[in-house]
């Protein structure tokens, strides 16, 4: 009986996400039709580009890796009750630090160098996540503003370092990037003749670890309690400030890992540009219902949209429609949340179903 | 003095009014009448339905049935504007003032005059004129956030007058005032009365009824139970009417055998949640095998007392000991480790994380270590098994430990909290309003449980705003008033009326003399 | 160094401050009514795009300007419906509007001009001297908004909606109407700011040409303590940093790295928000709804 109940609530939120995605795809189709293209052809091309053939699937997974990690970062902060718009900044900070460490050529073997470079990237993101968490806990400074500022600060700061400090850092001003990562620090390629690197494995492992931490450890319990009820968690002896700060730092670490994967696995260096994954990560987290396992699937979904997007060109639809669809998905999720949140309806429904089950 | 009856129609008349919120009936068969130009006190205990009734007059609540008459003619008051048009103004207990606005801006809001452009200067002049006319002296250009509570109340009263109110409702207007401010308020109300304003004064304090009102209507459990001319009644009679001779649920219990002191507080002071009166507890002891009842009107320091005794609120000075250990600066976890359990007053925002399943709610406050947590890892299976046993033992009706707490009825939620708090086998249990909002069956369960805990040799503190409950269950009773303990009694040695008078703010000596 | 402090620098600063002023004033009105608006970025982008598209379609730059503003208002309407009527999370909704703006403009650029990076060139708005006529308009709007907010009945009521929704309701104010109007105004002004970027300062649209200016404008609102003059000062601070940076790049031997200069506003905002969050907070009812019983 209890297994059934878990399933019914899980199914409900999966259903909600699927419905939101469906509505968004439908709206996307309307936009395409309005612009004179054929949505059926476009979606067919999108599907082919994302899932048909070895290379397509590899590309989908390549795009999925940073999105899953970013989505996990968003999910973790949200579980603690914070809206983390700073994933972009945390991600590029991680990517930059990992790129530097990878480019320094420390003469280490791969088995040491790769974990070291990844860890330093995660640490970079962690610092960038710690700052807004700490400020929130100490002064109440709203994380939305502080993280946006930190995004720009990261972007400008890295640009400065990359352009002007080639005297002390392994950077390449002519490329506006770090120098090439040495081979020993590169993430191994998983599939020959594709760009599929270790990043996707890291992302999935991170999701499983986060799932375990959130639902099977006291720390995860504290995070969720703090996010759901400040009053009850205080009553339960859980320290809000410390919990929020650590959660934000760890979220930054996940985002930093995403950036590190891009530098060490995909590009072989850190480009001082903003990939825009920070905002997509929000959508990934929302669609995945801020559940680490859900985030794996929504990350792959968004990875597929990004990987397959260019293929829609063949149906005269530009890949930018993907961003539009992402926006629609968030709107649809927000609209569903409204229905969900109406507490009267919800508790009445829940009580009725509980009563039915108790009676059964 | 106003005469009891006049030829003219009453200023306000409510006949057979009934108000309900879903299944809860807040007011029923209420009849209430106020003569023009009198100060009429509406007296009742906390939760008796005084405010709800007056919110009907202010257009904030629609009654299910009943008739409202203003100056003799039948009216419907659909919204606050309708009330305003009828000349009814209400000063809420929680002021409807915007701190960053000036006095004038707050007063004119919604009634700013013709044209789009504000004429602050002439508005301020008008406010000043009005304030001088009624002796409500105040600087019209001062920001409200810089005013004391007493002055903010003047702004609320001026606002009502500015909008042409002839009938002024004040909801517990003295709650946050200092004694001097209360005296000032009485003066203001008498001047307004002299000017022909009809005043309804909601209160639970007998002293205030005597000090300021011409007539008084008593309301108990949603119903009006009597109307008296203030000069022709006694505090005794009003206290009687207010608290009733309640038909109490009888709880089977044997006389207590108090043992050692388990929790003690000495000279404890703490900052208040609102306002500026500090909590000052000279001496409070909880003994093994005894239920200590704490009664009093809400907002007299009870919330602060509970937070202090459970580690949620910092102690300014003084000492709290649990089982002989100094806990004065302990946090909730340390209090729990020392043997304290606590049933909070607010199930939804303190006692439970509503979106957590039952088993995770059993973990709340129990996650510090064994048996549920080992090296920071939660033993889910064990927690669920314990939850299942607790559900059986405490008769929590829910499909499984995985059910969300939100979906349980109030009674089952409360049973779950009690089960969780008893699981630790505490030495002392703080039960705060443990039966609020529960049905009769659940109330009986909670009462029996409290007696059982006492009989098992634990110390129990029962804090309740329901005097009957305190009287039924307690072995010893303390009364809280004005953020202090106003009196302490052995249960059999005190009458309901004595307690009622103390709760109403009389001193111990006054109440003994009554 | 004497080449540095030139009239050029001043016009540069005024030019980069202008869009920030428009968007900040819009954000200010919106937040004063109690609705958080992180959609400013997207609304500016929509304004920028449709001002160009409108000019392209009609051949008239003023018609283009109006179309740009109107479309930004449509975007704002989405924000309003979701945030006010649906009572959705205002930050989530704002994020969605931003993504939609980014995607929609990029999609339409390709659909209309077939180019990936930006639009064709169109006419631009008339100039006074070397600056667009919208530059003086932006600065002139500051006292206008200040007047409306602080000297009119409607302004007082708008503030009441943001400060204490319950008090506003009890004073008989229709807060839903006021909040809708405020969000729509923010769309109009952010749209104007966006249009300035595309057909005021330049004469074409490029992808993501707002480049975070909506967020900066929001920071200016907060840094300026939710007052129009404060927002102007904060916008000028941001503008000056950017102007100095651009000027610094073209001035040989300029001592401070321009990339660091440009980071200053963000650092200033971070510090200011951290230090003043308690003394200088926004409207008390920001992000909340009135529960009318």
């Amino acid at each position: 009986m209890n297994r059934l109940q878990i399933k019914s609530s899980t199914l409900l939120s999966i259903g909600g996400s699927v419905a939101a995605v469906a509505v968004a795809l439908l709206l996307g189709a309307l936009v395409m039709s309005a612009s004179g293209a054929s949505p059926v052809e476009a979606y067919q091309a999108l599907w082919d580009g994302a899932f048909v053939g070895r290379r397509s699937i590899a590309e989908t997974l390549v795009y999925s890796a940073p999105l899953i990690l970013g989505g996990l970062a968003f999910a973790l902060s949200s579980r603690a009750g914070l809206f983390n718009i700073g994933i972009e900044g945390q991600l590029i900070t991680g990517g930059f630090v990992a790129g530097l460490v990878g480019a320094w050529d420390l003469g280490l073997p791969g088995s040491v160098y790769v974990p070291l470079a990844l860890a330093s990237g995660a640490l970079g993101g962690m610092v960038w996540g710690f700052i807004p968490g700490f400020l929130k806990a100490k002064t109440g400074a709203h994380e939305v503003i502080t993280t946006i500022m930190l995004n720009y600060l990261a972007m400008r700061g890295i640009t400065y370092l990359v352009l002007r400090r080639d005297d002390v850092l392994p950077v390449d001003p002519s490329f506006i990037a770090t120098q090439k990562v040495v081979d020993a620090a590169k993430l191994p390629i998983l599939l020959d003749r594709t760009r599929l690197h270790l990043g996707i494995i890291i992302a999935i492992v991170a999701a499983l670890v986060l799932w375990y931490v959130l639902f099977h450890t006291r720390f995860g319990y504290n995070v969720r309690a703090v996010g759901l009820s400040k009053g009850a968690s205080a009553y339960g002896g859980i320290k809000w400030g410390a919990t929020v700060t650590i959660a934000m730092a760890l979220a930054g670490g996940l985002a930093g890992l995403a950036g590190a994967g891009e530098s060490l696995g995909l590009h072989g260096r850190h480009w001082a540009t903003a990939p825009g994954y920070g905002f997509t990560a929000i959508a990934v987290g929302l669609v995945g219902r801020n559940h680490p396992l859900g985030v794996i699937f929504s990350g792959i979904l968004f990875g597929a949209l990004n990987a397959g997007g260019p293929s829609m060109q063949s149906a005269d639809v530009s890949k930018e429609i993907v961003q539009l669809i992402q926006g629609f998905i968030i709107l649809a999720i927000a609209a569903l949340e409204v229905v969900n949140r109406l507490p009267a309806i919800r508790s009445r429904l829940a009580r009725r179903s509980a009563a039915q089950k108790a009676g059964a | 003095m106003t005469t009891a009856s006049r030829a003219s129609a009453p200023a306000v008349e409510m006949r057979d009014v009934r108000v309900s919120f879903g299944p809860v009936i807040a007011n029923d068969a209420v009849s209430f009448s106020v003569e023009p130009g009198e100060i009429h006190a509406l007296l009742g205990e906390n939760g008796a339905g005084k405010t709800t009734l007056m919110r009907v007059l202010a257009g904030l609540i629609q009654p299910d049935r009943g008739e409202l008459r203003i100056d003799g003619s039948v009216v419907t008051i659909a919204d606050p504007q309708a009330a305003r048009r009828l000349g009814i103004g209400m000063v809420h207990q929680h002021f409807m003032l915007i701190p960053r606005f000036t006095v004038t801006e707050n007063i004119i809001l919604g009634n700013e005059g013709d044209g789009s452009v504000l004429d602050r200067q002439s508005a301020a002049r008008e406010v000043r004129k009005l304030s001088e006319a009624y002796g409500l002296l105040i600087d019209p250009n001062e920001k409200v956030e810089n005013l004391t509570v007493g002055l903010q109340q003047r702004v609320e009263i001026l606002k009502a007058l500015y909008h042409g109110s002839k009938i002024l409702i004040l909801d517990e207007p003295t709650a946050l005032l200092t004694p001097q401010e209360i005296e000032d308020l009485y003066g203001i109300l008498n001047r307004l009365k002299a000017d022909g304003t009809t005043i309804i004064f909601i209160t639970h304090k007998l002293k205030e009824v005597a000090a300021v009102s011409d007539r008084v209507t008593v309301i108990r459990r949603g119903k009006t139970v009597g109307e008296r001319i203030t000069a022709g009644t006694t505090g005794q009679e009003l206290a009687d009417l207010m608290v009733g001779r309640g038909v109490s649920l009888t709880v089977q219990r044997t006389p207590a055998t108090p043992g050692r002191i388990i929790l003690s507080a000495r000279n404890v002071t703490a900052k208040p949640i609102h306002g500026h009166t500090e909590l000052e507890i000279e001496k409070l002891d909880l003994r093994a095998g005894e239920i200590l009842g704490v009664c009093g009107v809400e907002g007299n320091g009870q919330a602060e007392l509970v937070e202090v005794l459970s580690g949620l609120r910092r102690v300014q000075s003084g000492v709290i000991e649990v089982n002989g250990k100094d806990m004065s600066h302990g946090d909730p976890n340390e209090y729990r480790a020392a043997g304290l359990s606590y049933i909070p007053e607010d199930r939804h925002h303190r006692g439970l994380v509503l979106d957590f399943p039952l088993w995770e709610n059993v973990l709340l406050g129990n996650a510090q270590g064994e048996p549920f947590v080992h090296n920071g890892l939660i033993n889910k299976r064990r927690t669920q098994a314990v939850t299942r046993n607790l559900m059986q033992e405490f008769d929590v009706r829910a499909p499984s430990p995985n059910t969300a707490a939100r979906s349980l009825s109030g009674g089952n939620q409360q049973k779950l909290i009690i089960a969780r708090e008893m699981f630790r086998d505490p030495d002392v249990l703080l039960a705060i309003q443990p039966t609020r909002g529960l049905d009769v069956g659940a109330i009986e369960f909670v009462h029996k449980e409290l007696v059982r805990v006492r009989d098992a040799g634990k110390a129990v503190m029962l804090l309740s705003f329901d005097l009957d409950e305190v009287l039924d269950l307690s072995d010893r009773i303390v009364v809280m008033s004005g953020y202090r303990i106003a009196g302490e009694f052995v249960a059999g040695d005190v009458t309901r009326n004595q307690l009622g008078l103390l709760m109403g703010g009389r001193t111990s000596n006054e109440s003994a003399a009554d | 160094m004497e080449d540095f402090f030139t009239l050029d620098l001043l016009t540069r600063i005024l030019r980069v401050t202008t869009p920030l002023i428009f968007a900040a004033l819009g954000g200010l009105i919106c937040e004063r009514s109690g609705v958080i608006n992180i959609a400013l970025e997207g609304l500016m982008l929509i304004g920028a795009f449709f001002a160009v598209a409108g000019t392209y379609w009609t051949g008239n730059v003023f018609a283009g300007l109006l179309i740009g503003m109107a479309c930004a208002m449509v975007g704002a309407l989405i924000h309003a419906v979701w945030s006010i009527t649906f009572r959705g999370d205002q930050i989530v909704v704002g994020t969605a509007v931003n993504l939609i703006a980014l995607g929609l403009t990029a999609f339409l650029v390709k659909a209309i001009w077939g180019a990936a990076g930006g639009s064709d060139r169109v006419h631009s708005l008339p100039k006074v001297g070397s600056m667009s006529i919208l530059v003086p308009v932006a600065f002139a709007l500051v006292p206008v908004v200040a007047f409306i907010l602080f000297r009119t009945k409607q302004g007082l009521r708008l503030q009441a909606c943001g400060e204490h929704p319950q008090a506003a309701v009890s004073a008989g104010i229709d807060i839903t109407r006021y909040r809708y109007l405020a969000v729509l105004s923010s769309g109009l002004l952010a749209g104007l700011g966006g249009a300035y970027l595309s057909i005021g300062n330049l004469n074409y649209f490029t992808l993501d040409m707002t480049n975070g200016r909506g967020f900066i404008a929001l920071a200016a609102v907060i840094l300026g303590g939710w007052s129009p003059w404060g927002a102007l000062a904060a916008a000028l601070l941001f503008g000056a940093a950017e102007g100095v940076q651009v000027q610094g790049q073209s001035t040989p031997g300029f001592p401070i790295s321009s990339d660091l200069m440009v980071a200053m506003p963000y650092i200033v905002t971070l510090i200011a928000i951290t230090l003043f969050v308690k003394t200088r907070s926004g409207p008390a009812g920001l992000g909340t709804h009135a529960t009318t019983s």
Side-chain angles (χ1 to χ4, degrees), chain C residues 31-102:
Chain C
E31 299 226 336
R32 278 282 189 162
S33 83
V35 180
I36 303 169
N37 193 345
I38 68 160
L40 286 177
E41 174 77 9
L43 299 177
M44 282 182 89
L45 196 61
I46 293 174
F49 173 82
F50 281 99
V52 168
T55 309
Y56 177 78
W57 288 327
T58 62
N60 182 322
V61 69
F62 290 102
L65 181 67
L66 289 178
I67 290 171
M69 280 155 48
C71 290
M73 283 174 82
V74 172
L77 185 64
I78 296 177
H79 190 67
V81 171
W82 255 259
S83 325
I84 302 165
T85 305
F86 290 178
R87 298 192 170 201
D89 184 318
Q90 295 169 0
I91 294 171
V92 171
V93 176
T95 305
V97 171
N98 286 336
L99 270 177
I100 288 175
L102 213 53

Side-chain angles (χ1 to χ4, degrees), chain C residues 154-180:
Chain C
Q154 286 76 13
L156 190 72
R157 292 178 172 193
L158 183 85
Q159 289 184 59
C161 294
E163 292 287 346
H164 196 329
Q166 275 82 9
V169 168
S170 81
I173 295 165
D174 182 352
I175 71 165
T176 304
R177 203 183 94 210
Y178 271 88
R179 286 185 166 179
Y180 261 92

Side-chain angles (χ1 to χ4, degrees), chain C residues 32 37 58 81 113 116 132 140 152 163 175 181 188 192 207 211 220 228 276 289:
Chain C
R32 278 282 189 162
N37 193 345
T58 62
V81 171
W113 293 286
S132 162
T152 68
E163 292 287 346
I175 71 165
L181 285 174
L188 186 142
L192 199 53
L207 288 190
N211 193 22
F276 302 129
H289 304 280

Side-chain angles (χ1 to χ4, degrees), chain A residues 139 145 152 318 320 331 341, chain C residues 82 86-87 106 110 212 273 277:
Chain A
T139 71
I145 290 298
Y152 288 107
S318 60
E320 282 72 22
L331 272 193
R341 231 199 331 253
Chain C
W82 255 259
F86 290 178
R87 298 192 170 201
K110 266 194 197 163
I273 282 173
V277 71

Side-chain angles (χ1 to χ4, degrees), chain B residues 27 49 71 86 116 120 132 136 151 157 160 202 210 224 252 263 286 306 317 327 339 351 396 435 509:
Chain B
N27 289 121
D71 296 327
L86 289 165
S116 267
R120 278 197 178 73
E132 279 163 4
L136 291 153
L151 289 177
I157 295 172
I202 302 177
T224 41
Q252 294 289 322
L263 184 150
L286 305 186
V306 171
S317 64
M327 297 299 299
V396 180
T435 59
N509 296 336

Side-chain angles (χ1 to χ4, degrees), chain A residues 28-311:
Chain A
L30 284 178
V31 174
M32 290 180 216
S33 310
S35 75
S38 155
V40 178
E41 270 177 47
Y43 283 140
Q44 181 67 47
L46 175 72
W47 176 265
D48 291 348
F51 293 116
V52 176
R54 182 170 171 275
R55 211 198 131 268
S56 300
I57 294 173
E59 279 299 296
T60 291
L61 295 179
V62 165
Y63 278 102
S64 302
L67 293 180
I68 291 173
L69 285 165
L72 293 176
F74 181 78
L76 176 55
S77 354
S78 298
R79 290 277 181 177
L82 270 66
F83 195 94
N84 185 359
I85 301 198
I87 294 166
E88 185 87 357
Q90 295 147 20
L91 188 145
I92 60 174
T93 307
F96 176 63
V97 174
L100 287 182
V101 172
W104 244 312
D105 196 3
L106 301 171
L108 299 166
S111 55
V112 181
Y113 210 154
V114 168
L116 177 75
L118 282 173
S120 46
L123 193 68
M126 210 179 267
V127 170
W128 229 241
F130 168 81
I131 297 169
F134 181 75
L135 294 181
K136 173 92 176 183
K138 284 290 160 201
T139 71
H142 202 291
E143 73 275 11
V144 167
I145 290 298
T146 55
T147 53
I148 289 175
M149 289 304 114
L150 285 164
N151 283 346
Y152 288 107
L153 205 52
M155 235 154 359
R156 306 287 192 183
I158 291 170
T159 307
Y160 161 75
L161 292 172
V162 161
L163 287 177
R164 309 263 179 251
R165 303 318 303 260
D166 52 337
D167 49 343
V168 288
L169 296 173
V171 293
D172 191 338
S174 56
F175 277 85
I176 321 183
T178 61
Q179 287 175 14
K180 272 192 181 165
V181 170
V182 298
D183 285 343
K186 275 193 183 149
L187 300 186
I189 294 290
L190 300 178
L191 205 57
D192 274 349
R193 287 174 292 113
T194 69
R195 302 199 292 170
L196 184 60
H197 56 84
L198 191 66
I200 185 69
I201 306 286
I202 294 170
I204 289 170
V205 169
L208 295 174
V209 170
L210 182 61
W211 169 78
Y212 187 81
V213 168
L214 272 180
F215 297 104
H216 290 91
T217 70
R218 178 169 56 214
F219 171 71
Y221 176 84
N222 290 352
V223 167
R224 290 181 295 122
V226 157
L228 286 172
S229 174
K230 220 170 159 178
S233 57
Y235 162 83
I238 302 167
K239 290 182 178 62
W240 174 78
T243 309
V244 159
T245 307
I246 297 172
M248 274 302 280
L250 290 180
L254 286 165
L257 207 50
E262 296 294 279
S263 296
L264 305 171
L266 185 61
H267 304 304
R269 62 169 78 207
H270 176 76
W271 296 99
T273 53
Y277 287 162
F279 287 100
T280 310
I282 294 172
V284 171
L286 290 173
V287 171
R289 296 304 165 113
N290 293 328
H291 191 291
L293 304 183
V295 165
I296 296 180
F297 291 101
S298 70
I300 292 174
L301 170 77
F302 282 89
L305 285 173
N306 278 308
S311 307

Side-chain angles (χ1 to χ4, degrees), chain C residues 56 119-123 203-204:
Chain C
Y56 177 78
S119 74
D120 289 355
R121 287 177 188 273
V122 296
H123 299 296
N203 55 0
Y204 56 88

Side-chain angles (χ1 to χ4, degrees), chain B residues 238-257:
Chain B
L238 291 177
D240 251 5
L241 281 170
M242 177 165 80
V243 296
R245 302 208 177 271
V247 266
S248 55
L249 298 159
T250 48
V251 184
Q252 294 289 322
R253 60 193 190 100
T254 53
T257 47

